[in-house]
């Protein structure tokens, strides 16, 4: 009998062509809508493999349904949506999509940093709203990027790719990470720093750390107060790392200057959310790795991982 693969989001058929003789593929029919929980759980019961996105909670409840499940391939580098420990206990392999998205996500992070510092989105709205009546010395003036200090919290592969971009802008690069990264220090000239020193001295605080029990709410009122009043906070990792109410207050009171956010505690964030009402917030709908090239590579990698495990081979990018 062919193994059953459940794909929790509509993915173009062409990606599955190489496997059409080997797998029985079942798929949620919507591209932009999350699979209904009960539909998802029903499919988990009989699937041999799951292809999931970061919007599916693969928790104990879901994993307890599984009867044949051997592998979960998550279409993301982050995997905070999956109870990885419990999956491991049950002998289910979990894979993610590292590496293939690092440069693309670093590009977006830098684009967001620049857009926030130079008020690109506001400026575009200004011109399209017909407000450009004259040139003025400080019209839409923002903050410099070159020669400033960038502090990267979480020096993984994406952090490293951001640091390389920062070097091109002649920035001073600080980083904080659980472990020292000698290679990044030597090759890119990034300086290891305590979390406290990083947040107090950086002009740009860039959050790249995954969401775990240890990093949840890592950025709260106290951290924002310690930052420079000219600091710009950028988050392209996970919303849960930040206390959004505290961030809102910090931006409102000008404890910090601005924030560029690609991720939020609850996604999709409601358009009426207080953070989105602030002029000094540049917001994006979680598009860090969203290029045609990279999303295609991520999908292909998920399918390779599934294929490896179903064939009894080692997955390419397992978690743990
Ligand atoms: C996206 O947020 C990812 O984790 O890949
Ligand atoms: C501005 O456009 C300048 O020429 O300095």
């Amino acid at each position: 009998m062919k193994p059953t693969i459940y794909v929790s989001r509509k993915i173009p058929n062409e990606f599955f062509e190489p496997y059409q003789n080997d797998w029985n593929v079942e798929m949620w029919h919507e591209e932009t809508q999350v699979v209904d929980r009960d539909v998802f759980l029903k499919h988990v019961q009989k699937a041999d493999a799951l292809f999931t996105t970061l919007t599916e909670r693969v928790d104990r409840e879901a994993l307890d349904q599984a009867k044949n499940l051997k592998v979960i391939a998550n279409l993301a580098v982050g995997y905070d949506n999956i109870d990885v420990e419990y999956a491991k206990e049950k002998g289910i392999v979990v894979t993610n999509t590292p590496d293939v998205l690092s440069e693309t996500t670093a590009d977006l992070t830098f684009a967001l940093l620049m857009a926030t510092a130079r008020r690109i989105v506001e400026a575009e709205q200004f011109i399209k709203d017909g407000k450009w009546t004259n040139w003025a010395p400080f019209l839409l003036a923002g903050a410099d990027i070159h020669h400033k200090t960038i502090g990267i919290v979480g020096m993984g592969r994406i952090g490293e790719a951001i640091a390389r971009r920062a070097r091109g802008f002649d920035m001073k690069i600080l980083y904080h990470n659980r472990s020292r990264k000698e290679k990044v220090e030597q090759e890119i000239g990034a300086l290891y720093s305590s979390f406290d020193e990083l947040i107090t001295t950086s002009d740009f605080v860039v959050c790249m750390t995954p969401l775990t029990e240890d990093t949840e709410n890592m950025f709260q009122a106290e951290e924002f107060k310690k930052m420079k009043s000219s600091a710009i906070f950028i988050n392209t990792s996970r919303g849960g790392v930040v206390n959004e109410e505290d961030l809102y207050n910090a931006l409102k009171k000008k404890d910090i200057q601005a924030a560029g956010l690609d991720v939020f505690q609850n996604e999709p964030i409601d358009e009426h959310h207080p953070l989105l009402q602030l002029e000094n917030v540049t917001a994006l709908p979680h598009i860090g790795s969203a290029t045609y090239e990279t999303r295609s590579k991520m999908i292909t990698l998920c399918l390779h991982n599934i294929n490896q495990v179903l064939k009894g081979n080692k997955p390419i990018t397992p978690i743990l």
Side-chain angles (χ1 to χ4, degrees):
M1 236 186 36
K2 289 184 189 179
T4 295
I5 318 299
Y6 186 64
V7 183
S8 65
R9 196 63 71 99
K10 187 172 161 59
I11 302 285
N13 283 332
E14 68 205 49
F15 288 100
F16 297 89
E17 271 164 24
Y19 307 103
Q20 62 186 358
N21 297 325
D22 305 331
W23 298 350
N24 168 34
V25 177
E26 293 175 4
M27 197 183 287
W28 175 242
H29 56 279
E30 297 278 358
E31 195 197 326
T32 55
Q33 272 178 37
V34 177
V35 58
D36 295 336
R37 181 74 175 168
D38 54 335
V39 172
F40 181 64
L41 293 181
K42 204 179 89 219
H43 280 94
V44 173
Q45 277 176 22
K46 53 176 193 168
D48 296 278
L50 286 178
F51 178 124
T52 52
T53 69
L54 50 83
T55 52
E56 280 72 71
R57 268 184 306 109
V58 191
D59 51 11
R60 276 175 178 261
E61 183 197 24
L63 290 166
D64 279 336
Q65 304 281 319
K67 298 200 175 63
N68 306 320
L69 192 58
K70 294 161 195 73
V71 53
I72 304 164
N74 205 41
L75 184 71
V77 66
Y79 45 85
D80 46 281
N81 59 311
I82 300 177
D83 189 335
V84 176
E85 289 297 335
Y86 195 52
K88 195 177 165 199
E89 259 175 54
K90 292 189 158 268
I92 300 165
V93 175
V94 182
T95 66
N96 66 341
T97 62
D99 304 319
V100 292
L101 50 58
S102 301
E103 299 294 330
T104 299
T105 306
D107 280 350
L108 189 279
T109 305
F110 230 85
L112 180 56
L113 182 154
M114 295 185 76
T116 309
R118 295 302 303 270
R119 302 170 63 185
I120 301 288
V121 179
E122 235 182 303
E124 203 234 18
Q125 203 55 52
F126 181 85
I127 193 168
K128 287 193 175 166
D129 287 348
K131 292 182 183 160
W132 190 21
T133 52
N134 218 328
W135 186 94
F138 290 103
L139 174 64
L140 288 159
D144 271 333
I145 297 159
H146 65 89
H147 296 97
K148 291 283 184 72
T149 299
I150 185 173
I152 302 170
V153 180
M155 187 52 89
R157 286 158 287 214
I158 303 172
E160 187 180 324
I162 294 168
R164 266 188 274 110
R165 283 155 181 74
R167 194 175 56 171
F169 282 77
D170 293 321
M171 298 176 94
K172 177 174 176 185
I173 305 163
L174 304 180
Y175 79 97
H176 181 74
N177 197 54
R178 275 180 311 179
S179 57
R180 289 279 289 261
K181 294 289 174 99
E182 313 247 316
K183 187 171 146 259
V184 180
E185 294 180 23
Q186 280 155 16
E187 289 177 9
I188 307 174
L191 304 168
Y192 180 80
S193 146
S194 69
F195 180 61
D196 229 48
E197 188 195 340
L198 183 148
I199 59 173
T200 41
T201 59
S202 295
D203 299 300
F204 295 91
V205 177
V206 178
C207 172
M208 271 328 309
T209 183
L211 176 60
T212 65
E213 277 171 14
D214 295 335
T215 64
E216 192 170 2
N217 276 322
M218 186 173 188
F219 290 94
Q220 304 190 42
E222 199 186 329
E223 283 69 39
F224 294 120
K225 275 210 189 76
K226 283 184 182 168
M227 292 181 195
K228 293 180 171 180
S229 58
S230 58
I232 293 179
F233 178 71
I234 303 294
N235 188 6
T236 51
S237 64
R238 284 293 182 273
V241 175
V242 179
N243 180 316
E244 286 181 345
E245 201 181 322
D246 290 356
L247 174 60
Y248 172 83
N249 289 329
L251 288 161
K252 186 89 185 163
K253 289 188 304 195
K254 300 279 159 76
D255 284 342
I256 64 170
Q257 185 173 319
L261 308 169
D262 184 44
V263 289
F264 301 90
Q265 239 156 41
N266 293 308
E267 297 181 2
I269 188 171
D270 187 90
E271 64 184 293
H272 302 294
H273 191 287
L275 271 177
L276 299 189
Q277 315 314 312
L278 295 174
E279 269 181 4
N280 50 352
V281 166
T282 303
L284 299 174
H286 202 149
I287 55 169
S289 63
T291 64
Y292 283 106
E293 297 96 323
T294 290
R295 286 286 159 85
S296 299
K297 284 185 198 153
M298 289 163 67
I299 291 169
T300 302
L301 178 56
C302 285
L303 298 180
H304 281 164
N305 273 315
I306 290 174
N307 193 39
Q308 285 289 101
V309 175
L310 292 182
K311 285 190 162 159
N313 299 331
K314 278 205 164 79
I316 301 153
T317 50
I319 289 158
L320 302 178

